[in-house]
Every structure is written in structure tokens, then in C-alpha cells.
Amino acid sequence: MASVKPWSLVLVVFCIMSLSYFVNGAGSNEGLGASFIFGDSLVDAGNNNYLQTLSRANIPPNGIDFKASGGQPTGRYTNGRTIGDIVGEELGVPSYAVPYLAPNSTGKAILYGVNYASGGGGIMNATGRIFVNRLGLDIQIDYFNNTRKQFDKLLGPSKAKDYISKRSIFSITIGANDFLNNYLLPVLSVGARISESPDAFIDDMINHIRNQLTRLYQLGARKFVIGNVGPIGCIPYQKTINQLNENECVDLANKLAMQYNRRLKELLSELNGKLQGAIFVHANVYDLVMELITNYTKYGFTTASKACCGNGGQFAGIIPCGPTSSLCKDREKHVFWDPYHPSEAANVIIARQLLNGNTKYISPVNLKQLRNL
């Protein structure tokens, strides 16, 4: 009989422990099990790279400060990490949630989470059609349904159910495109605005997202965080096309966002009382970003109106970030990376408030508390 080398025994034990880690859902409560990310370009990690679409960020200098890629573009619409990336890191997820459409979104990689977000996507299916292709929230949930079946195969139905419901967080960051690239879209949406009042459009949005969140609940999700719509009237794009001064914002866009946000908060309270065993956390992104814009110097920024990467107008707010764009040298000093999206420096501040903040910005619990429930 051949002798057994000590190192081979160690290898066998290590392999058994590794398998046990995945099958038992990591076996400890030190970190989050999985982060499932739904939404738009604020949290897209590369899904649009795999679509024939006009909305893409897999070109430089996007990603210039993203350490995991060595500064190469990944499809993230910012210079570094998204809010979803930072939150996942801080909650103990060992790797970033893999984009659903990426070739490596199979097998054990999905146990850390999957990112379904898509630049141009919205709550309403018509949103973002100007980009030709994008993943709306309905399609993103269809894709999660596929992932859910993969979890059953990987862990077995019983362990998969526990892992999804108890050790995973579902984050939804969506709604801005429903205004910017649907209801408020210049020229293309004039007919819609004539035929549908703001109240009726927001009613449609709320009814859709109620059904979408309920569907995720039916698929096993229990821990949710839903971001409201930020101050979209204050982004460099809106300031530029409306020829505003540095301290001005587009009133109509912000009013629509606030109207939707009030309804969303009421909806989450309704679902918290209605869907047994679930917790819906409300992330007050609007006030959080408005605080950054209003008091930007307090947080170490030198501008909250001009895009770091972009072209056109006073605030470089017309042409999206790309190889021919003007690029600022002090990226960490800009609230906005491009005409639409926050810089990594702003994302870090936003994410930390969501992780550790009080009920002014995140309620009824913050994300560290949600993980431990």
C-alpha cells in the first residue's frame, strides 16, 4: 500500500472545508452571503458590454481608478467603484457581484452575488428605448429567476432558500431613467407628457415597482434596500442643456423625483406591513446627494456642478465620457465623474452613510444592521 504524504492529507481537508463553505452558505455570520444588485447605470458593473446598445461605459477613461482592473474600463459608469461595489466590500462579500451577462457568471462565482443592473434601464419597460437595448427591471428579475434555479442546483433547494432569504441582500437602484430617458426626454416624450399627467405617470411607476418587488419576494428575497431617485435636476447634463448657473437646478425634474420619492416611501411601508418576513429598507439617496451638492466643500470637493470627464457647455455636461473627452486632474475633488454619474469619491461618502448612517438617510435600519438581522 502506498504511503500517504502529509501535504496530500492537508489538501484533502482543505478541499472538504472549501466545499463545506459553499454548501453551508459560508457557515458564519461574519459577512454577507450574496449581494444581488438591480438597477441602472449608477450600479451597472458591465452588463451593457454584452448588449448592442448606445449606452456603454467600457471605454477609457471610465474605470481609470478601478484598482481591480488595473485602471481599465469594465463597463462601470464612473472612474472607480460603484456604490454597489463599495457596499458589498464593506459588508464582507469577498468579490464583486458578477454581471449576469458576463461569461463567468456561472457556478460558484454566483454565490457571492450577481449584478443585473443595466445602463438606461428603468422601472417602466419603455424607458431607455433611445439607447436601443437595455435591461429594464422586469427583465432583470427574469434573469434573477434563472439565477435562483442555479442556486437550487448548487446548494440544494433547502440550503438555497435559507441562503437567499437570510444571508443575501437585494439592492434596487432605479427610477432616474424613467424621468430622464422617458417622461422628460426632449422631443420624443412630448406626446406622452400631453397624454399622461405627472401624477398618472408616477402612479404607473409605483404600480410597476410594487409588482416587481412582490415578484422578488415570491422568488425568496427577504432583505431589500431600495434607493429613491436622486436630485436629477442638479446633474451636469441638466444644468448644461438648460443653461443654468452653478448653484441652480432644474425645478421640474427635481419636483417629479420628490413626488415619486414620497410615493415610494409609502409603498415600502405598505410592503413592510404586508409581506411577512421581509424587510424593505428605504435609502434616501435624494437628500444624501443633495447634501453633497449643497455643501460640497465640507466634504473636500471643489465642484458639484462640473463633470470631471465630458464635453460641451459650461459644465462639460453634454457629451458622455469617452477617449476624446476633457478629463480633470483632480478626480477626487469632483462630485460628478461625467454628465450623469457620481465620482468614486462621492460614491464612497454615499455608501458609508447607507452602511452606517442614521434614519435621516437610511431606515428603518442601516445596511450593517440589515446584514445582521
Side-chain angles (χ1 to χ4, degrees), residues 6 27 58 68 89 111 115 140 152 202 214 259 290 302 344 348 354:
N58 60 338
E89 280 181 3
L111 292 172
N115 185 314
Q140 293 179 35
D152 281 348
I202 289 168
T214 301
Q259 186 178 342
M290 190 59 93
T302 57
E344 182 184 59
V348 167
L354 300 180

Side-chain angles (χ1 to χ4, degrees), residues 153-361:
K153 289 178 183 175
L154 282 166
L155 303 179
S158 178
K159 286 194 172 81
K161 183 181 178 183
D162 278 354
Y163 196 77
I164 297 287
S165 64
K166 296 175 182 174
R167 300 211 52 236
S168 302
I169 288 178
F170 291 73
S171 66
I172 296 98
T173 306
I174 205 158
N177 284 318
D178 293 286
F179 296 112
L180 292 174
N181 291 305
N182 188 338
Y183 196 71
L184 291 174
L185 198 65
V187 183
L188 293 181
S189 69
V190 170
R193 270 183 274 170
I194 292 169
S195 63
E196 192 169 26
S197 69
D199 287 354
F201 184 76
I202 289 168
D203 276 347
D204 274 354
M205 286 179 69
I206 292 296
N207 288 332
H208 272 77
I209 198 167
R210 176 189 287 107
N211 292 335
Q212 289 158 341
L213 294 175
T214 301
R215 191 171 162 218
L216 280 172
Y217 174 84
Q218 290 165 345
L219 290 170
R222 291 297 180 270
K223 296 182 180 183
F224 296 84
V225 55
I226 293 92
N228 65 11
V229 173
I232 51 178
C234 302
I235 62 176
Y237 169 74
Q238 286 287 322
K239 287 189 176 190
T240 301
I241 65 168
N242 288 282
Q243 300 181 320
L244 299 183
N245 295 325
E246 186 174 3
N247 297 321
E248 293 180 306
C249 296
V250 179
D251 195 45
L252 174 60
N254 280 355
K255 278 184 175 174
L256 288 170
M258 288 189 287
Q259 186 178 342
Y260 165 78
N261 290 345
R262 284 191 293 272
R263 294 287 308 279
L264 177 69
K265 192 171 185 181
E266 291 168 3
L267 172 65
L268 298 184
S269 295
E270 171 197 317
L271 294 178
N272 271 325
K274 182 177 170 185
L275 298 181
Q276 189 174 4
I279 179 164
F280 290 85
V281 173
H282 174 255
N284 185 5
V285 175
Y286 187 98
D287 284 353
L288 190 43
V289 174
M290 190 59 93
E291 164 66 15
L292 278 186
I293 291 170
T294 306
N295 300 308
Y296 62 91
T297 56
K298 174 181 165 186
Y299 299 93
F301 296 104
T302 57
T303 177
S305 55
K306 189 172 183 180
C308 172
C309 181
N311 281 111
Q314 182 184 355
F315 305 115
I318 295 178
I319 301 169
C321 182
T324 60
S325 299
S326 61
L327 180 65
C328 71
K329 292 180 181 177
D330 51 349
R331 298 185 288 274
E332 74 286 352
K333 300 292 186 183
H334 283 64
V335 171
F336 287 98
W337 163 244
D338 68 8
Y340 302 90
H341 307 99
S343 64
E344 182 184 59
N347 283 338
V348 167
I349 293 169
I350 295 165
R352 284 178 180 162
Q353 283 288 354
L354 300 180
L355 286 157
N356 305 302
N358 59 33
T359 54
K360 179 179 180 182
Y361 295 129

